Amino acid sequence: MLQIWALDGIGEVQEGDDLVALIAAAADGALQDGDILVVTSKIVSKAEGRFVRADDREDAITAETVRVVASRTSPTGHITRIVENRLGIVAAAAGVDASNTPHGTVLLLPVDPDASARALAAGLRERTGARVGVIVSDTHGRAWREGQTDAAIGAAGVHVFEDLRGGTDAEGRPLIVTMPCVADELAAASDLVKGKAAGLPVAVVRGRADLVGDLDLPGARSIVRPPERDFFRLGADEAHAAGRAEGYDLGWADGAASR
Amino acid sequence: MLQIWALDGIGEVQEGDDLVALIAAAADGALQDGDILVVTSKIVSKAEGRFVRADDREDAITAETVRVVASRTSPTGHITRIVENRLGIVAAAAGVDASNTPHGTVLLLPVDPDASARALAAGLRERTGARVGVIVSDTHGRAWREGQTDAAIGAAGVHVFEDLRGGTDAEGRPLIVTMPCVADELAAASDLVKGKAAGLPVAVVRGRADLVGDLDLPGARSIVRPPERDFFRLGADEAHAAGRAEGYDLGWADGAASR
C-alpha cells in the first residue's frame, strides 16, 4: 500500500527560510524511515531567493538557456520557447515560473536541485532521525501529449530508476529495456495531492522504502538523456530549417557546377 | 490522503477472459465510489486476444504504424522505431510488447483502449455498485529523459485533465497554461505499486473521487496532441534529412540558373 499526503502548514516561503526546519515542523514527528518527500521546486527557489523582475522575464529565460530546442510564435504574438537549461533539463521557458510568485517577479529554477535535495535529505535525516529520501519536482509539458505532469529535477537519498534490466519477466525472459523512472513517477503521484493552486508544496510518499538509500546515489541529473541517445534534440521545424539551409548550399554549388 | 494498492490474485489472463469478473473478484468487495482502477494494457490486450507470432514482430510494428516519427539502427543492428500508431499515440515499437507474453508471441495494444476502459468501468459499476473510474495504462519512453513512466492510453469515468485554466493562483493571477494530465499522473503513480515483474496488473487509487465522473467524459484519446501543436512531430535527424533534400533541389535550381 502506497500512501501519499501533502504536509499542511508550510505557508508562504521567503528568501532565506530554512526549509529543513519548515518541513520538519509541518511533518510534526510523522516522518518514518523510508518515507520520500517530494518538494515543489518553487519553494526551493524561493528559499534560495531566485526572484527576477517580471519585466526581465524574457532576458531571464535567455540567460537560463544553454540551447534552444524549439520555438514558435503564436498568431497572437505569444512566444513559446522550449530550451535546454544549464541543468540539461528540456522545458518550456527554461522552467522560469510566473505563477504563485510575488507581484512583479518571476522565479528561476534552483541553482542545483540535486544539491538542494541532498541538503534537505541530510538535514531532515539529522533533525527527524528518519532515513528519508527527497525529490525536488517541477511541472513539465511533454512531447506529443497535452497537459503537464510533475517530474523530478532533483533527488537525493532515493533511487531515481528502478533498474529491472538485470531481471526477468514471469516467463524468465530478460527485461532488457525496462527501467522505470520512479523519481518521475513519485513526482507525478505527489502532484495528485498537492493541488497547484492550494499552496501545498510538499508531499510525503510512504510505502516504497526499498527505493530509499544513501545520500550519494545518483541524482535527477542522471535522468537527462545524453545527446547521442536523444532523437528529439531539435524541434522538427528547427531541424528541417537547418537541413534545408545546408542542402541549399550543397545544391547551389552542384547546380552551378553542372553547366 | 491518497492510497494506492495493487489487487492480488488476478493471475494470468487468457484470451476471452472476462476482466470485469476477474477484477471484481480480486477487489473482493473493497471498491468504493470514487475509486480509480488503473489497468495495465497488457491484460486488456491478452483478454482481447491481441497476440501475434514473435517472428512477425517487425511486420506487426509496421502494420500498427500510421507514421514513423523517428528511427535509428544501433551499432549492434538493433532498430528502434518510434512511431505514431492508429490511436495517435507516439511510442517505441508502436506499443508492441514482447515481455510477459507466452513464448513465441508478442502482444499488440488493445484495439480501442478508451472503449475497453468504458466497458470495464460500466461493467464494474454495475457489478460492484461502486461508481469507479478506469484508466488503461501503458509504459512509455519519453523525449529528453531516460527510463520509462506509465501513461494513460485509455480512460473512462475519470477526468483525464484537471483543468485549472479558469482558476487563479494564490496571488489571484490566472493559471493560464496549467492543465495537469491527471490520467498520466494516476498511471505513473500506479506503476509504483504494480511492479513490472510481479504480475500485479491492476491498481486501485483512492482519494481523488473528485476526478471520477460520467462514463462519457473525454477519454485518453484527448491527451494526444494535435499535429499543429506538436513541435516534435518528426525526429531531429528525420526532419533535418527532409529539409536537406528540399533545400538541395531548390539550391540546385538556383545554382544552375545563376550562370
Side-chain angles (χ1 to χ4, degrees), chain A residues 99-183:
Chain A
S99 67
N100 270 312
T101 55
H103 247 333
T105 66
V106 296
L107 200 56
L108 309 184
L109 288 180
V111 173
D112 181 347
D114 278 334
S116 305
R118 211 150 43 233
L120 284 172
L124 287 165
R125 286 179 183 200
E126 189 180 336
R127 187 178 292 241
T128 67
R131 191 163 178 268
V132 298
V134 170
I135 286 170
V136 174
S137 67
D138 193 24
T139 302
H140 286 174
R142 300 88 52 80
W144 317 309
R145 295 174 82 75
E146 296 283 18
Q148 300 90 34
T149 57
D150 274 15
I153 64 166
V158 58
H159 290 269
V160 297
F161 296 110
E162 183 160 29
D163 199 338
L164 303 175
R165 286 177 300 180
T168 54
D169 69 13
E171 290 269 322
R173 282 170 303 198
L175 284 165
I176 41 172
V177 294
T178 304
M179 190 173 75
C181 185
V182 283

Side-chain angles (χ1 to χ4, degrees), chain A residues 162 164 208, chain B residues 6 100 190-201:
Chain A
E162 183 160 29
L164 303 175
R208 285 302 307 267
Chain B
N100 271 314
S190 298
D191 191 42
L192 292 166
V193 303
K194 285 177 181 175
K196 285 277 180 299
L200 293 169

Side-chain angles (χ1 to χ4, degrees), chain B residues 15 23 26 61-62 80 84 88 91 105 119 121 124 137 154 156-157 214 238:
Chain B
E15 180 167 357
I23 293 171
I61 295 172
T62 303
T80 301
E84 180 180 326
T105 66
L124 286 165
S137 66
D214 293 339
E238 286 74 10

Side-chain angles (χ1 to χ4, degrees), chain B residues 79 87 115 131 163 195:
Chain B
I79 300 170
L87 304 165
R131 191 163 179 267
D163 199 337

Side-chain angles (χ1 to χ4, degrees), chain A residues 34-246:
Chain A
D35 284 350
I36 299 165
L37 286 107
V38 182
V39 180
T40 306
S41 62
K42 189 188 299 277
I43 65 165
V44 178
S45 293
K46 286 183 173 177
E48 292 181 1
R50 300 276 288 156
F51 298 103
V52 172
R53 289 197 324 136
D55 292 347
D56 302 331
R57 179 174 184 269
E58 294 302 316
D59 290 342
I61 296 172
T62 302
E64 291 282 294
T65 297
V66 171
R67 195 171 65 77
V68 175
V69 175
S71 171
R72 278 196 198 173
T73 305
S74 79
T76 61
H78 178 78
I79 300 170
T80 301
R81 281 193 274 176
I82 297 171
V83 305
E84 181 180 325
N85 72 3
R86 74 210 137 64
L87 304 164
I89 296 166
V90 175
V96 174
D97 188 352
S99 67
N100 270 312
T101 55
H103 247 333
T105 66
V106 296
L107 200 56
L108 309 184
L109 288 180
V111 173
D112 181 347
D114 278 334
S116 305
R118 211 150 43 233
L120 284 172
L124 287 165
R125 286 179 183 200
E126 189 180 336
R127 187 178 292 241
T128 67
R131 191 163 178 268
V132 298
V134 170
I135 286 170
V136 174
S137 67
D138 193 24
T139 302
H140 286 174
R142 300 88 52 80
W144 317 309
R145 295 174 82 75
E146 296 283 18
Q148 300 90 34
T149 57
D150 274 15
I153 64 166
V158 58
H159 290 269
V160 297
F161 296 110
E162 183 160 29
D163 199 338
L164 303 175
R165 286 177 300 180
T168 54
D169 69 13
E171 290 269 322
R173 282 170 303 198
L175 284 165
I176 41 172
V177 294
T178 304
M179 190 173 75
C181 185
V182 283
D184 280 351
E185 294 186 329
L186 288 161
S190 297
D191 191 42
L192 293 166
V193 302
K194 285 177 179 173
K196 284 279 179 298
L200 294 169
V202 180
V204 182
V205 181
R206 179 167 295 166
R208 285 302 307 267
D210 60 302
L211 296 176
V212 173
D214 294 339
L215 295 180
D216 60 356
L217 285 170
R221 179 78 206 204
S222 64
I223 302 172
V224 173
R225 178 162 287 171
E228 67 274 14
R229 288 173 46 77
D230 182 0
F231 290 20
F232 301 96
R233 196 159 165 75
L234 263 187
D237 288 355
E238 285 74 11
H240 189 277
R244 195 168 183 277
E246 187 182 304

Side-chain angles (χ1 to χ4, degrees), chain B residues 122-241:
Chain B
L124 286 165
R125 287 181 181 197
E126 187 179 338
R127 187 177 292 242
T128 68
R131 191 163 179 267
V132 299
V134 170
I135 286 170
V136 174
S137 66
D138 193 24
T139 302
H140 286 174
R142 298 89 55 79
W144 318 307
R145 294 173 82 76
E146 296 282 20
Q148 301 89 34
T149 56
D150 275 16
I153 64 167
V158 58
H159 291 270
V160 297
F161 296 110
E162 183 161 28
D163 199 337
L164 303 175
R165 286 177 301 179
T168 55
D169 70 13
E171 290 271 321
R173 283 171 303 198
L175 284 164
I176 41 173
V177 294
T178 304
M179 190 173 74
C181 184
V182 284
D184 280 351
E185 294 187 328
L186 289 161
S190 298
D191 191 42
L192 292 166
V193 303
K194 285 177 181 175
K196 285 277 180 299
L200 293 169
V202 181
V204 182
V205 181
R206 180 169 295 166
R208 287 301 308 266
D210 59 303
L211 296 176
V212 173
D214 293 339
L215 294 180
D216 59 356
L217 285 170
R221 179 78 207 205
S222 64
I223 302 172
V224 173
R225 179 163 285 170
E228 67 275 14
R229 289 174 43 79
D230 182 0
F231 291 18
F232 302 96
R233 195 158 166 76
L234 262 187
D237 288 355
E238 286 74 10
H240 189 278

